[in-house]
Amino acid sequence: MTVYAIMGGTGLTQLEGLTITRSLALDTPYGPTSADIQVGEFAGREVLFLARHGHPHRVPPHQVNYRANIWALKQAGAQAILAVNAVGGIHMAMGTGHFCVPHQLIDYTSGREHTFFAGDLEHVTHIDFSHPYTESLREQLIGALAAEGCSYSSHGVYAATQGPRLETVAEIARLERDGCDIVGMTGMPEAALARELELEYACLALVVNPAAGKSTAIITMAEIEQALRDGMGKVKSTLARVLAG
C-alpha cells in the first residue's frame, strides 16, 4: 500500500481530522525541516503530514528548506506526496475558490537550493522532468474533486515565482503570454526534488485570489485568508477521498 505524505501550504498548517500518533524531528544533510513531520491516521490510513511554511506559518516561500523537507519525507517512508498550494488565478477559468490539478509548470524562481545533485559528486545526474507531476496521482486528485462536486480544472500550467511579494500586472501579463494558468511561490523546487528522490508527486492548487491585473480590486491578505477559510474544507475532503480510495 502506498505511503502518502501531505505537504500543507498556506492555510493548511494543521490537518484537521489527523489523529497524531507521533511527531518526527529528523536530521537531514540539508538542515532542519519547516516543522516536525506528523505521523497519524487520516481517512482510515496512516499518513505523514508536513507544514511547508512551519507551524505556526512563519517561513516565507523563498526561505523554505525544500531539500530538507523532501529528504525527510523520503526518510520517514513516504512514497507519494500530495502537495497543497494556494495560488493566484491567471486564466479566466481560475476564479477564487476554483481548484486546479496542474499538469505542467514553469520555474521563474532564482537563488533557491534546487537540487540534491550538488557538491562533491561521483557523477552528474540529469532527471527527466518532461512531465513534472505523476499522472496516476493527478488522476486520483481529479477523480476526488469530481466526486466532491468541486469546481476544478483537470489541467493547468503552474508558474512558480520567487515571492514573497505578489507579482506586478506586467509580470502576470508575461506569465499569461508564456501559457501559465495559475501562479504560486512554492511549486519549485519542490516538484523537482521529489522527482530526484523518485517520489510520486502531484499538486492540488486552490485559487485564493485573481492574479495582478485580473481584477479591478486591490489584492488584500484579508481576501486571501477568507478564500483559504472557505476552501480548506473542500481540500481536506478531497484529500480524504484520495486516501480512502
Side-chain angles (χ1 to χ4, degrees), residues 89-211:
I90 299 176
H91 190 280
M92 62 182 300
M94 306 294 172
T96 299
H98 190 77
F99 286 93
C100 181
V101 183
H103 70 293
Q104 278 294 334
L105 63 80
I106 303 177
D107 187 7
Y108 298 93
T109 66
S110 61
R112 301 183 181 187
E113 296 289 352
H114 64 281
T115 181
F116 294 114
F117 301 125
D120 186 15
L121 301 175
E122 293 183 3
H123 58 86
V124 177
T125 301
H126 302 282
I127 60 166
D128 180 359
F129 204 51
S130 302
H131 303 285
Y133 302 107
T134 304
E135 186 60 26
S136 59
L137 209 52
R138 289 186 64 255
E139 292 297 333
Q140 291 179 61
L141 286 170
I142 292 164
L145 287 167
E148 288 295 316
C150 298
S151 170
Y152 74 94
S153 295
S154 61
H155 291 78
V157 178
Y158 181 119
T161 58
Q162 181 70 355
R165 67 168 177 83
L166 298 177
E167 300 75 29
T168 68
V169 171
E171 286 170 333
I172 293 299
R174 175 202 173 190
L175 299 184
E176 187 169 26
R177 289 193 299 271
D178 286 350
C180 298
D181 301 299
I182 54 176
V183 57
M185 301 174 187
T186 55
M188 282 292 285
E190 194 173 275
L193 292 168
R195 179 64 54 84
E196 287 186 352
L197 293 188
E198 299 181 337
L199 292 167
E200 296 181 9
Y201 183 93
C203 167
L204 176 63
L206 171 65
V207 179
V208 296
N209 63 275

Side-chain angles (χ1 to χ4, degrees), residues 30-43:
Y30 309 99
T33 56
S34 297
D36 289 352
I37 296 173
Q38 296 179 341
V39 184
E41 185 176 296
F42 182 70

